[in-house]
Amino acid sequence: MNKVKLANWGRYPVIETSISSFNEERHAVQKIRNAHGVIARGLGRCYGDSSLAENILSTLNYNKFIAFDETNGVLRCEAGVSFADILEVFVPKGWFLPVTPGTKFITVGGAVASDVHGKNHHKEGTFGNWVHSLKILIASGEVINCSPGENADLFFATVGGMGLTGIILEVVFSLKKIETAFITQQVHIAKNLDEVMRLFDENKAATYSVAWIDCLAGGKTLGRSVLYLGEHSKTDEIADTIFADKPLYYHGKGSIGVPFNFPSGSLNSLSIRLFNSLYYGMNKLKSDGKIHINPFFYPLDSVNNWNRIYGKKGFLQYQFVLPLENSREGMTEILTALHNEGRGSFLAVLKLFGKQIPYFLPDTSVNEVTVTAEETANRNETTVSNNAQFERIEAESNTQERASRDGKNQQCMQNGINHPLISFPMEGYTLALDFPITSGLMKFLNKLDEIVLEHNGRFYFTKDSRLKPDVFRKGYPELDQFLKIKRKYDPENTFSSSQSKRLGLT
Amino acid sequence: MKNCLIIGANSDIAKALAAQFAKAKYNLCLTGRNMEELKKTASDLNIRFGVQAEALFFDVLQYETHETFFQQLEPKPDVVIAAAGLLGDQSIAETDPQYARLIIDTNFTGVAGILNEAGNYFETIGKGSVIGISSVAGERGRKKNYFYGAAKAGFTAFLSGLRQRLHPKGVFVMTVLPGFVRTKMIENEETPWLLTAEPEKVAKQIFNGWKSRKPVIHTPHYWWLIMCMMKMIPEKIFRKLNV
């Protein structure tokens, strides 16, 4: 097979690999037979080397919608379906992604493997929280189902498991009901870190919250930010706009592109400082209002290949989370380091994660989403979606009742595993930074690593391309348990990535 | 709503073409032998485009079933597309006559049979479209795949004749000559990267060609030029070439 050079979104590292694809399950089974060092890859929007390996199995041709339950919004689809496709098809029907990162150019399989989070993490958890079940091709060539109630160990090792347990083939998950395709947005300006943290805390009830932070500011303005809050607009909220008669208007196409690589060094501390000051100033003038889901969730998706502005050498993303109790101190230290070094990040994003939302045994009737949309119309069964489960969590003030159900769940979940083992988010503040690759960067990041570890923080696999094994492991106390499950289902390391090798996981 | 029947709907070009017709709000009848895969494609089209899509078993090699199959179709199609094909392994075909025949029958005898049924039906109602996916391989035989190429040449000639017969009756017959397309058919072949097109692009060109009633299209279009040149090479030289 032909070797090609390939990199993910950060354009670093570049590796030589052979890549093949499949559009039927049996072809995928054939392709992993006797293979080594295989990893599934979707749209390659992870920044580093998570989906790079000697043998890449692209899921992009495995992209069919299989069934949709219109009553409960439960979708079964193949892993290569992209979020962009889902939005295109389902927003006009009144459904939205339960959790979405800042780009819609990711696949469902990738969303599970990275257990992606979004602006609603503090309230609605990660993508995995909305997954009912998975169909996965494991190293033996078997295709098996897993869910919190069936092969739970495999389920919780696969959600957030970076594709190391096998090839995710199908995903069943809940969509979220929406009335309109718009978000009612509030913008708050925070003069410094204390203020933005106070605002995050005060606005925990908001469905969506995220802050853009000016990491070149220092002194009294250290951590000055713009906080965005959002709620799905109700029909009557857009009644006086031109979208009143088409509340679910969606148009996914139309974007401008960056046709060539900018000269490396275009983004230097001066241009970043200028951009940051302008951006902060502009937002001071911005008023609150209604905004379409596309610009609210995916501002950068309208610029194709925006990664090219970092030049040919590429860039690094750096994302970590600090436990809540250490967040203020740790963030202050890191922002001070950034300020002193004058190493700004073009896009720095701050977000408060919530506690991990518990997983419940899925209602089996929801799991049986094998009917087509047509047949669904004739079905009268009432089923409970994840969506309803969240409401139930809130409604249950009776802790005893809650405890007994948790107990029941615990019992059913194998080996007591009831949550993803190496999923990134934990309660506390997360900061995502990106840096053009320049000399001295690695040394500087090593320094930041130490600060993160001192404060018991951890790093996001999906954005990493440079961490050392020991630095990584420290943040994930359940890594050994994950590896045990990985070995159970993949004793010969059929599945591994450049990243898993670098981190000593495979 | 209009209806489109696809023969060999599991082929990658057919799947992409089905999406084009579904987008244009055609209900689809997908036929082939791998029912599980066909049903999945049908649900996908149904969910994506809100059209009716059904999956039916049909084997082009079972000639005796062609007539009844077409007669029993309800509703009757407005467009019939034949995309069934088998590239096969030339080296096996050279020594195994049964296998050679399988290649010829799949690519020519089988598809011609069912399209003839469709043509007869369209003739009686005085309208309808037949789209046959042939191949540039049929334009000049090459040592690499001459059983496949010969069958496609036969299919191309068949479509040309059918067109001449049905044109006065108001029936449109279209010949599609794809070059290299990134499909499972050529997955194990090494094809020039620059000359290999995505099925979606090819499907779009076929659909547009059908809309503007082009009788014969090369897709991607530049294959017209390549084949023009290929056909001009004198046999004395061609026989020595390693293409």
Side-chain angles (χ1 to χ4, degrees), chain A residues 71-107:
Chain A
T71 325
N72 303 298
V74 181
L75 176 66
R76 175 191 286 270
C77 67
E78 292 176 343
V81 166
S82 73
F83 275 24
D85 275 357
I86 293 175
L87 293 168
E88 192 100 35
V89 173
F90 291 99
V91 170
K93 296 184 207 260
W95 298 95
F96 187 61
L97 293 159
V99 165
T100 176
T103 174
K104 55 180 180 282
F105 301 123
I106 66 163
T107 61

Side-chain angles (χ1 to χ4, degrees), chain B residues 72-146:
Chain B
Q72 282 170 0
L73 275 182
E74 202 52 57
K76 288 276 182 285
D78 301 277
V79 179
V80 177
I81 300 169
L86 170 71
L87 179 60
D89 185 325
Q90 169 73 20
S91 59
I92 300 176
E94 282 167 18
T95 51
D96 178 351
Q98 287 288 37
Y99 185 77
R101 189 156 169 203
L102 178 73
I103 295 180
I104 292 170
D105 286 348
T106 309
N107 293 302
F108 173 50
T109 332
V111 279
I114 185 70
L115 287 193
N116 198 49
E117 289 297 331
N120 289 345
Y121 162 74
F122 286 145
E123 187 179 23
T124 61
I125 59 165
K127 60 179 180 184
S129 296
V130 172
I131 303 176
I133 315 286
S134 191
S135 169
V136 292
E139 299 211 76
R140 189 156 198 183
R142 295 184 305 141
K143 63 180 172 188
K144 264 188 185 162
N145 57 17
Y146 60 80

Side-chain angles (χ1 to χ4, degrees), chain A residues 23 31 63-65 78, chain B residues 12 37 40 44 48 187:
Chain A
N23 55 10
K31 294 217 157 137
N63 61 346
K64 292 195 201 74
F65 289 113
E78 292 176 343
Chain B
D12 293 318
E37 188 55 23
K40 265 185 154 185
D44 180 64
R48 273 180 206 263
E187 198 180 42

Side-chain angles (χ1 to χ4, degrees), chain A residues 229-264:
Chain A
L229 302 174
E231 298 296 336
H232 288 285
S233 310
K234 302 267 179 228
T235 322
D236 54 356
E237 288 179 84
I238 59 158
D240 55 353
T241 70
I242 55 162
F243 293 101
D245 56 340
K246 41 187 172 185
L248 292 165
Y249 172 81
Y250 189 83
H251 188 60
K253 307 239 162 49
S255 53
I256 52 170
V258 178
F260 53 87
N261 289 316
F262 277 38
S264 297

Side-chain angles (χ1 to χ4, degrees), chain A residues 314-330:
Chain A
F315 68 108
L316 284 183
Q317 263 265 342
Y318 190 82
Q319 184 174 1
F320 60 90
V321 55
L322 300 178
L324 194 56
E325 63 275 17
N326 303 339
S327 283
R328 184 179 311 266
E329 199 189 303

Side-chain angles (χ1 to χ4, degrees), chain A residues 186-392:
Chain A
Q186 272 184 37
V187 183
H188 294 270
I189 302 292
K191 288 196 198 75
N192 53 39
L193 188 64
D194 277 348
E195 205 172 308
V196 73
M197 285 185 159
R198 181 177 53 77
L199 283 168
F200 264 118
D201 201 54
E202 282 171 12
N203 289 292
K204 270 185 179 164
T207 307
Y208 298 106
S209 66
V210 70
W212 165 84
I213 185 164
D214 177 358
C215 44
L216 283 171
K220 267 193 249 169
T221 56
L222 184 84
R224 69 174 179 179
S225 320
V226 183
L227 175 76
Y228 298 91
L229 302 174
E231 298 296 336
H232 288 285
S233 310
K234 302 267 179 228
T235 322
D236 54 356
E237 288 179 84
I238 59 158
D240 55 353
T241 70
I242 55 162
F243 293 101
D245 56 340
K246 41 187 172 185
L248 292 165
Y249 172 81
Y250 189 83
H251 188 60
K253 307 239 162 49
S255 53
I256 52 170
V258 178
F260 53 87
N261 289 316
F262 277 38
S264 297
S266 300
L267 287 192
N268 49 38
S269 66
L270 190 71
S271 62
I272 292 174
R273 196 181 297 271
L274 191 69
F275 170 80
N276 278 245
S277 296
L278 279 173
Y279 194 81
Y280 183 78
M282 251 163 49
N283 273 287
K284 270 185 156 170
L285 305 172
K286 222 182 212 170
S287 60
D288 304 343
K290 312 285 177 292
I291 174 171
H292 192 260
I293 47 180
N294 263 333
F296 182 79
F297 290 100
Y298 316 109
L300 284 174
D301 280 353
S302 58
V303 186
N304 285 331
N305 307 106
W306 63 260
N307 51 348
R308 287 183 175 165
I309 64 170
Y310 286 96
K312 216 174 168 183
K313 283 188 202 157
F315 68 108
L316 284 183
Q317 263 265 342
Y318 190 82
Q319 184 174 1
F320 60 90
V321 55
L322 300 178
L324 194 56
E325 63 275 17
N326 303 339
S327 283
R328 184 179 311 266
E329 199 189 303
M331 286 295 172
T332 309
E333 248 180 81
I334 283 176
L335 289 171
T336 311
L338 285 165
H339 171 70
N340 292 344
E341 182 89 8
R343 246 181 226 283
S345 160
F346 198 52
L347 295 153
V349 175
L350 183 72
K351 158 96 198 131
L352 174 60
F353 281 153
K355 282 196 174 64
Q356 186 168 68
I357 290 174
Y359 281 72
F360 293 110
L361 284 179
D363 195 310
T364 44
S365 52
V366 179
N367 251 335
E368 297 302 317
V369 198
T370 48
V371 290
T372 62
E374 270 176 274
E375 292 168 51
T376 319
N378 308 324
R379 277 199 340 175
N380 298 319
E381 297 146 67
T382 46
T383 47
V384 186
S385 69
N386 260 1
N387 214 342
Q389 282 180 359
F390 287 126
E391 283 156 25
R392 227 166 38 190

